[in-house]
Amino acid sequence: MAPRYVDLDKCIACGECAAKCPKRVPDPFNAGLANRKAAYILYGQTVPLKYAIDPEHCIYLAKGKCRACEKVCPTGAVNLDQTGVHRLLQVGAIVLAAGFKTFDPSHLDYLGLRRAPDVVTSLEYERLLSSSGPNRGHLKRPSDGAEPKKVAWIQCVGSRSLNKCDNAYCSGVCCMAAVKQALMTAEHVKDVADRAIYCMDMRTHGKNFESYYEKAQAQGVRFLRSRPHTLGPGPQGKGVRIRYASEARRELILDFDLAVLSVGLEAPRHFARLAETTGIAVNDLRFAAAQDLTPVASSRPGIYVCGCFTGPKDIPQSVVEASAAACAAAGQLVLARGAFVPETAIRPVIDVAGEPPRLGVFVCSCGANIAGVVDVDRVAGEAAKLPGVAHVENALFACSQDFQERIALAVREHGLNRVVVAACTPRTHEPLFQETIAGAGLNKYLFEMANIRNQASWVHAADPAAATDRAVDQVRMAAAKAARLRPLSEPKLSVIPRALVVGGGLAGMTAALELAKQDFTVHIVERQAELGGNARSLRATLGGQDVAMHLARLRRRVEEEGRITVHLGKVVAQVEGYVGRFATTLTAVGGHGESEVVEHGAAILAVGGQEAKPNDYGHGKHHRVMTHLEIDRALRFGSLDPYDVGSAVFIQCVGSREPKRPYCSRLCCTHTLKTVLYLKEKNPDLRAYVLYRDMRPYGERELLYQKARELGVIFIRFELETKPWVVVGGDDITVYVKDHILGDLLELPADILGLATGIEPSDAADLARMFKVPLDADGWLVEAHAKLRPVDFATDGVFMAGMAHYPKPIEEAVAQAQAAAGRAGALLAREEITLPGLISRIDAALCSGCGVCLAVCPYGAISRGEANLAEVNEALCKGCGLCAACCRSGAPSLAGFTDADILAQVDAMLEDHS
Amino acid sequence: MTREAFSPRIAAFLCSWCSYGAADMAGVGRMGYPADFRVVRIPCTGRLSPKFILSALRQGADGVWVSGCHPGDCHFISGNLMVRRHFTLLKNLLEYVGVEPGRLHFSWISSAEADKFARVAADVAAAVRALGPASGALGALIKAV
Amino acid sequence: MQTRIVNIRAAAKAALEEGLCRVVAGYAPGAIAMRARPVFIDKPEDAGKLTWSSFCVGNLAGLLTQAAKQASGRIGVVAQGCVSRNLVGLIGEGRLAREDLYVIGVPCLGMAERRKIEARYPGRAIIAVEESEEVFVVRGKRREERMLRRDALRDNCYTCVQRNPVIYDALVAEPVPDTGGGDIDKVAAPWEKHPPGERLAAFQAAYANCTRCHACRDVCPLCYCSTCFVDESTPQWAGKTGDFADVATYHLLRALHCAGRCTDCGACESACPQNIKVRRLTSKLEKDVRALYGCQAGMALGESPPLTVFRPDDPQDFIK
């Protein structure tokens, strides 16, 4: 471990070291566009918020003189003599998540990155747009600081290219990033004149991405199908001149104020060394190798890989893989589960019921951080006059270990039953002080903080008197609230260590087996009479692994696994309970026969989707007009012989990306490529045509596209307005399409016509209602957060996997199934869950049963109980307070933030204001 | 009280998950702004019923500022979006009965936007200062009518 | 008018006789001219007590919750457009159940503003008012005067958008045109026309005579909280005084509580003993809710009130 030169326990993040440090260095967080000091924090929200010394740039560490930071540090946290340490950790599993680096295009002269000052990389542009960036969110171009009105994006810089960079793959994320940046640019530049994205295909294949792309088009963002060949400085060296060829093969020149290079993703620095040290295999693309059916397993047992370490991918997929890797590791560690969990001691609690408030107020100086601006003695003096205050004390550092003992002592000596600390921010320090008073026997909720550092001394240094006034008021407000606080309990719920998986396809079976591996019992409910779902029709994975074999293996393992019970031909009829304690009724499809109740602690919804049935292009009129699955089945069962096919035509986006089914189904482009390659490999004489709108084989799938072109497959682009049409006559299929380059009408005879029809969700409306989880307008399950919680629902204890979330290929469905199992396993592994104290309760005397709270609660935590009045389920309530805000009668009250609590602070802040 | 000497009292209701964090980070970055604010930390803007805003004005706040998470970023999924309609109607209603628009402010500021926090704080303070003391926008000010 | 009265009585009688409901809420003539009062009848032979006129300004919907609790069985109610919309609202809020109601629907010609009629004949005692579809015949001690219905309508009835009931089990007259003739957007939120600097004065002047009797609340079918915020003491949202700050807080918050739920039935204004134009606040909110969220309260069963839902793209220009 490299030395940090700052003691984490002592640093209070006051920033004095950085203020005094004389050494300025380019700030990597701002892509080098701004400077920081050698004593630094990575960025404002760093966790933990502690400083560090950069040994590469520190004058003392490099030249042996300075130590300014050490002298100025008020807590003695700086330790320039710290040395690195070697630690030996004994672990049962390793997860490698070393991320990626972006492609550096500075050596590609034709892109003009260092030659034209107003050419920036997408990462640099991201910082230029950021309100925490070098220009604090004011968009300025580097050459002269002017606000750019015309901005261009150049896609695929360092992606989809072998001759310039040896990165044949698609980086998968840059198209959406460029669309996002284009839309954000208009938020920064009010009179934006032009936003042009130079692209080959726009790959907006993720959930809700296509509508975002459409929004950009509607807002006037231009998408130019071209790869510019030269970028150079514009007139007077400002702006950027772009030379490119139009689709009609004319050379054009356009001037922009700024150009952004959408740089691709590559394996991280030191990747080779890490791979060698850990002994894992590397793939042809120089990322960590993993297989489609085991997407987070490295080549070495016990070592798991996730995120962009195995190839470029976006945030949701990275987070999915992170949970999947955690799941795989948990399966590995199951025998040792709980081995290092510390015992928590039960502490005696002082009963404060019925006592009048006796407040202790502790006013922190934070060295000079507060006291240098705020008159802390005056704050303490004013606090002493407040009603209910029994004890006031100043502290040099309220967060120091010895002062925790002072607080505990004061609680005992003065019989305090509420504590107020005026110091920094509750966001970082409330848990520490709550722990302190809990140690002294007080309920931890009898605590309130006044923020007089971050929100007073640090921001009002120019006006110490006003800062002190504010601090006095904030303490008065905190005391007014504290006097009203009541002890709160944190109810515990025991967890039933059993999961219910709804849907017995690939995702459902994978999730069930992962949970069984972690020693939990699992029930699988499958509507159909056999397990397998869509995978029963599929031929091979992206990397060529045989799906049928894998499926057979999975089914056998599910059947042999004693911890798994399978309910075939059954559906969920009723769900009662909540996280940790569900009781779900299963009945036969159609509702007849005996029903059965399964008690479980968690549920995974993996009800999948299905291939849409096309109703145009002659489907149903000719047996050789086939969907993906129809072709796969025909190939698998031998009714279609590649050697009999002279010409094959594929039409993409059949019914997709149109008003009726607006989303992109993500997997059809790749599926077509797999099929056409298979046919072409079997029968090299085959003439093959793919008619497409955008080819979207993202990530390493791009290699299939490349290979298909090499093998002579012809790709013809069409627009939504000029769709191909199909004539079926007798035995013949003929496809007509307008060639996008030549403008000619082409006539393509086809022995088979493949229709890429896209995926539709299963009808999950009833299931969603029963589990209190949402569906979006297209019918997909809605995750708790599109980026950061991709397999969770807002409703605790319920998770999702597979195509019910969105169309996805096998490797992603497997990863998501593992992720859902990981999230569910983390819940089931706990014997009990502790519910937060700050939740809502309904005063039945005030409730009139109007139902507003039921309607607005984001968690479905409120239901009608006795006399039709509202009742809060404490296991579901998260404490947002919407019910309290929307109720007209004041019946709900949110602990810690009751009407009276908030009003007491409003009263207190205005008490002396005339 | 002269305009110059006037330091307003502005009730700031800040969501704990975003704008309150931005205010903390503005401190870390030592971004100065007027000391006119008295902050009430709330778990979500969704907690903020119009009653609190009216109460603050009735009791003499010179201005009120409510700040929460950007649409789509609510810690509680949709608290900010649900309450946005209440805020819209309240804001319109108060302007309709003659409360100056500059007394009541709303913003979406994420915990990463310290700079926006400081900037909006300065704007809010300037707007309220320009109006002078309310002495209770609904109370004493009306006595002066 | 006479047809409506006859048919209301017949419908109520039949409903009670056939057991379609246990009790019927309707209007009975008031003790003096230009008044009607609510009445509950539970015997078919009492149907003759029911009446109908352009002075049935109280909103029966608000009386039903309590009645529904007490009556063991369905309850009948005489409902014109606005009252039926309030029934729909109360059903949505779980106060009533559609299957527990027997709605005797009355296509409404608009209610009269008694003060407008009195103002036309100042200083003269009005003994009775008879009405036809177009004309009111106002009878004093010695003479009769005629007044056009249009000139006597309440403001809210002039701008009504739903004069026929939206739900009913029996209808006592042919449907009438749904609108009252006036354009709500021209008259709603009248202070918007004032320059911002003059609105506060207008607001204060309009409510200067409020005695805080809370009749506007008591008559409102939306105000059924067991404890109104204005009566709460811990915490205290509005003081108990007649100071303008307290008066304003009461009326503003009450109006906000009705936002998205108010059907503009006008009961509040009719009930005000001080003749305060309470709708100057509520009509602003009604207008905003309609313009911003496309909602009108109580028009159809099963619709979510606008303040219990949102759209991601709701307007938010005022948010920084």
Side-chain angles (χ1 to χ4, degrees), chain A residues 177-221:
Chain A
V179 175
K180 180 201 77 176
Q181 288 183 344
L183 286 174
M184 281 184 71
T185 299
E187 290 171 17
H188 288 256
V189 183
K190 290 289 165 244
D191 47 349
V192 63
D194 189 15
R195 287 164 290 164
I197 296 181
Y198 288 90
C199 59
M200 296 196 282
D201 299 280
M202 276 312 286
R203 295 190 170 165
T204 50
H205 47 270
K207 194 174 187 178
N208 295 323
F209 287 7
E210 186 71 14
S211 59
Y212 199 71
Y213 174 34
E214 278 170 17
K215 183 175 161 191
Q217 289 170 298
Q219 287 192 13
V221 178

Side-chain angles (χ1 to χ4, degrees), chain A residues 5-7 10-11 69-79 397:
Chain A
Y5 305 105
V6 171
D7 185 339
K10 290 182 182 164
C11 176
C69 50
E70 198 176 54
K71 285 178 212 111
V72 77
C73 179
T75 61
V78 175
N79 174 7
F397 290 108

Side-chain angles (χ1 to χ4, degrees), chain C residues 56 72 85 92 97 103 112 116 151 199 208 219 253 268 271 281 287:
Chain C
C56 300
S72 51
R85 289 172 64 189
V103 181
K116 282 187 187 173
D151 298 333
R199 292 179 185 173
V219 77
L253 261 179
C268 46
L281 288 183
K287 183 181 175 183

Side-chain angles (χ1 to χ4, degrees), chain A residues 14 425 473 899 907 913, chain B residues 9 24 30 38 47 59 62:
Chain A
C14 67
T425 168
D473 286 351
D899 282 355
D907 287 346
H913 184 61
Chain B
R9 188 73 50 95
D24 282 346
R30 307 298 198 275
R38 300 296 180 266
R47 171 66 191 93
Q59 294 181 70
D62 300 304

Side-chain angles (χ1 to χ4, degrees), chain C residues 55-77:
Chain C
F55 302 98
C56 300
V57 293
N59 189 322
L60 294 179
L63 302 176
L64 293 193
T65 316
Q66 204 55 34
K69 267 186 200 156
Q70 286 162 0
S72 51
R74 284 173 99 190
I75 182 162
V77 56

Side-chain angles (χ1 to χ4, degrees), chain A residues 580-768:
Chain A
R581 309 199 65 77
F582 291 100
T584 297
T585 308
L586 310 178
T587 58
V589 177
H592 50 77
E594 297 242 321
S595 62
E596 185 182 346
V597 176
V598 175
E599 293 190 335
H600 54 107
I604 294 175
L605 309 187
V607 292
Q610 63 267 325
E611 189 181 65
K613 285 282 157 272
N615 52 9
D616 46 5
Y617 295 128
H619 189 259
K621 292 185 191 143
H622 193 296
H623 69 287
R624 285 289 172 91
V625 179
M626 304 161 98
T627 67
H628 277 316
L629 289 187
E630 286 163 1
I631 295 176
D632 270 15
R633 272 195 296 269
L635 288 171
R636 225 174 111 178
F637 300 114
S639 60
L640 178 66
D641 185 344
Y643 300 104
D644 294 343
V645 182
S647 83
V649 179
F650 292 83
I651 300 177
Q652 300 302 110
C653 295
V654 175
S656 291
R657 300 176 63 198
E658 292 182 17
K660 225 178 123 200
R661 190 174 352 111
Y663 54 89
C664 162
S665 282
R666 189 175 177 96
L667 46 72
C668 342
C669 281
T670 308
H671 201 142
T672 294
L673 290 169
K674 269 178 2 193
T675 307
V676 79
L677 280 172
Y678 177 78
L679 295 173
K680 195 81 185 159
E681 276 162 14
K682 295 275 177 202
N683 178 5
D685 296 333
L686 173 91
R687 291 184 310 284
Y689 304 89
V690 178
L691 316 185
Y692 71 101
R693 287 169 60 196
D694 291 274
M695 282 306 288
R696 292 179 169 173
Y698 55 97
E700 64 272 37
R701 296 158 191 83
E702 173 71 14
L703 273 65
L704 301 179
Y705 186 23
Q706 194 194 332
K707 191 168 172 196
R709 291 195 312 264
E710 281 167 10
L711 292 180
V713 178
I714 309 288
F715 289 84
I716 300 166
R717 191 162 71 80
F718 66 89
E719 302 280 348
L720 185 57
E721 297 74 31
T722 54
K723 287 204 280 192
W725 70 96
V726 175
V727 176
V728 177
D731 245 11
D732 299 331
I733 309 167
T734 315
V735 183
Y736 295 91
V737 64
K738 203 175 149 198
D739 184 284
H740 69 287
I741 293 171
L742 304 172
D744 297 339
L745 186 65
L746 302 178
E747 180 182 308
L748 308 172
D751 292 335
I752 59 166
L753 172 59
L755 300 181
T757 57
I759 307 295
E760 289 173 342
S762 299
D763 180 6
D766 286 342
L767 191 68

Side-chain angles (χ1 to χ4, degrees), chain A residues 199-273:
Chain A
C199 59
M200 296 196 282
D201 299 280
M202 276 312 286
R203 295 190 170 165
T204 50
H205 47 270
K207 194 174 187 178
N208 295 323
F209 287 7
E210 186 71 14
S211 59
Y212 199 71
Y213 174 34
E214 278 170 17
K215 183 175 161 191
Q217 289 170 298
Q219 287 192 13
V221 178
R222 298 195 297 150
F223 293 86
L224 305 174
R225 306 251 169 195
S226 175
R227 216 165 175 167
H229 58 73
T230 314
L231 277 72
Q236 287 99 47
K238 290 169 190 160
V240 185
R241 173 159 292 178
I242 298 181
R243 291 169 192 275
Y244 68 103
S246 74
E247 260 194 299
R249 299 289 153 100
R250 287 218 339 260
E251 203 205 8
L252 296 173
I253 296 176
L254 268 183
D255 285 340
F256 289 90
D257 297 332
L258 186 93
V260 183
L261 305 180
S262 291
V263 289
L265 276 46
E266 297 182 329
R269 285 184 190 85
H270 317 306
F271 175 84
R273 207 177 66 201

Side-chain angles (χ1 to χ4, degrees), chain A residues 369-488:
Chain A
N369 277 290
I370 294 170
V373 175
V374 168
D375 179 348
V376 287
D377 292 332
R378 209 194 118 207
V379 174
E382 293 293 331
K385 298 179 200 161
L386 296 172
V389 171
H391 176 70
V392 179
E393 198 168 326
N394 285 88
L396 185 57
F397 290 108
C399 59
S400 64
Q401 191 50 47
D402 58 325
F403 202 75
Q404 306 316 300
E405 284 154 29
R406 294 279 313 157
I407 294 175
L409 186 70
V411 168
R412 283 191 294 272
E413 278 188 350
H414 301 277
L416 305 179
N417 54 21
R418 309 281 191 287
V419 170
V420 172
V421 173
C424 47
T425 168
R427 278 171 56 103
T428 56
H429 280 68
E430 191 174 64
L432 169 74
F433 295 118
Q434 285 186 326
E435 175 62 25
T436 297
I437 68 164
L442 283 180
N443 180 284
K444 75 172 196 182
Y445 290 101
L446 299 172
F447 175 78
E448 184 65 17
M449 261 186 106
N451 188 329
I452 63 169
R453 186 184 78 170
N454 296 49
Q455 297 185 19
S457 66
W458 275 357
V459 285
H460 308 317
D463 191 347
T468 303
D469 286 346
R470 179 169 177 186
V472 167
D473 286 351
Q474 297 281 174
V475 170
R476 189 186 320 114
M477 291 160 66
K481 179 177 173 186
R484 303 191 33 81
L485 292 174
R486 299 278 175 273
L488 298 173

